[in-house]
Amino acid sequence: MPPKLLFLHGAGTNAAIFRIQSRNLAALLKPHFELVYLDGFLPSPPGPGVLPFFEGCGPYLKWLCDEHVRDEALHWQCTDGVDRLVAEYRRLGPFVGVVGFSQGAKAAMYLIRRLEELNEAGELRIFVAVCGTAPFEGGGQVDGQEEENGIRKEGFKESLEKGLVKTESVHVIGDNDPWRVPSETLVRFFEGPKRVVRFKGAHHMPVEEEVNKLVVDSILAAYADT
């Protein structure tokens, strides 16, 4: 059996939609890996760019509540979201890597950090973030965008202080992504060897064959390194 990669979709989509969004990357990975797509746990409005193309393709789902900094802190402190993701990882695995898009990359970071804390990373070797968003924690009353941005920055620091992820990582970042800064911040959460692939695009899975080949080459190199 080929080694498995777990795919986690972005907020406001689902596993079926992500299969379509990631089809170009998946076509190049399938000769080397078995790809497993998981649905998020929470209901969500459709995500950016989902409509009208994926009209009627719901339910639309997400992994965690992170609309505001206090939402994310409370979500992970007061729910079993990470533990539920760990349980699904155990049930469907073993995996050698996790590929996450947007919020799915953030959820994957939390997952791998928890697995490392539990000494259960096992065969896991690769983390791949495509247009990932960075974890932030914190809380308190948020009154306006400027204050929230400040709390987000403090949240980055707070979350980083909980420890860096040792798993080797690949970061795929769109030059014109409105969430490019969080994607760049996410790189800082990883201690192990890091590869960064940049593409001339926005907040979406890369479609160009040459970009996807670079991503796959980076994944295979990371897999060979460990």
Side-chain angles (χ1 to χ4, degrees):
M1 295 289 292
K4 291 181 180 180
L5 294 177
L6 179 63
F7 273 62
L8 303 184
H9 61 79
T13 64
N14 54 46
I17 292 173
F18 195 33
R19 284 181 183 274
I20 297 171
Q21 293 172 324
S22 63
R23 63 190 181 280
N24 293 337
L25 177 62
L28 297 174
L29 287 172
K30 283 180 179 177
H32 309 282
F33 303 98
E34 178 183 350
L35 312 184
V36 178
Y37 290 76
L38 182 63
D39 274 326
F41 305 140
L42 302 174
S44 172
V50 169
L51 302 180
F53 189 80
F54 293 108
E55 182 78 42
C57 294
Y60 307 107
L61 304 165
K62 61 184 178 182
W63 301 102
L64 68 151
C65 299
D66 63 355
E67 285 77 11
H68 302 288
V69 288
R70 61 181 180 274
D71 295 335
E72 183 165 325
L74 290 170
H75 178 82
W76 288 126
Q77 290 167 8
C78 303
T79 75
D80 62 352
V82 177
D83 293 332
R84 185 174 176 184
L85 196 49
V86 169
E88 288 298 288
Y89 177 92
R90 292 169 178 159
R91 181 178 71 85
L92 298 169
F95 293 98
V96 299
V98 185
V99 179
F101 173 74
S102 190
Q103 191 193 77
K106 182 196 295 193
M109 198 288 308
Y110 278 118
L111 166 66
I112 297 172
R113 180 190 266 170
R114 178 62 61 85
L115 290 169
E116 290 182 351
E117 290 171 350
L118 296 171
N119 293 316
E120 291 187 29
E123 299 178 27
L124 185 65
R125 305 182 187 182
I126 314 157
F127 166 85
V128 183
V130 183
C131 299
T133 56
F136 52 82
E137 298 181 26
Q141 186 66 35
V142 177
D143 299 311
Q145 192 65 39
E146 184 175 345
E147 183 177 351
E148 174 153 334
N149 286 339
I151 296 176
R152 284 174 187 264
K153 290 177 183 178
E154 283 298 309
F156 291 149
K157 180 175 180 290
E158 177 185 328
S159 191
L160 282 167
E161 288 173 350
K162 294 186 176 181
L164 300 181
V165 178
K166 298 177 178 63
T167 300
E168 192 155 346
S169 59
V170 179
H171 302 263
V172 186
I173 300 173
D175 289 340
N176 301 316
D177 187 350
W179 290 278
R180 182 181 61 79
V181 172
S183 292
E184 302 280 3
T185 302
L186 185 61
V187 179
R188 295 166 47 199
F189 282 76
F190 289 81
E191 177 181 280
K194 296 176 273 195
R195 294 172 169 84
V196 177
V197 177
R198 303 183 187 279
F199 69 100
K200 296 186 182 302
H203 196 70
H204 56 78
M205 294 293 293
V207 296
E208 298 84 357
E209 185 176 6
E210 60 270 22
V211 175
N212 282 294
K213 283 182 176 178
L214 280 175
V215 176
V216 172
D217 288 346
S218 296
I219 293 171
L220 292 173
Y223 185 60
D225 281 351
T226 53

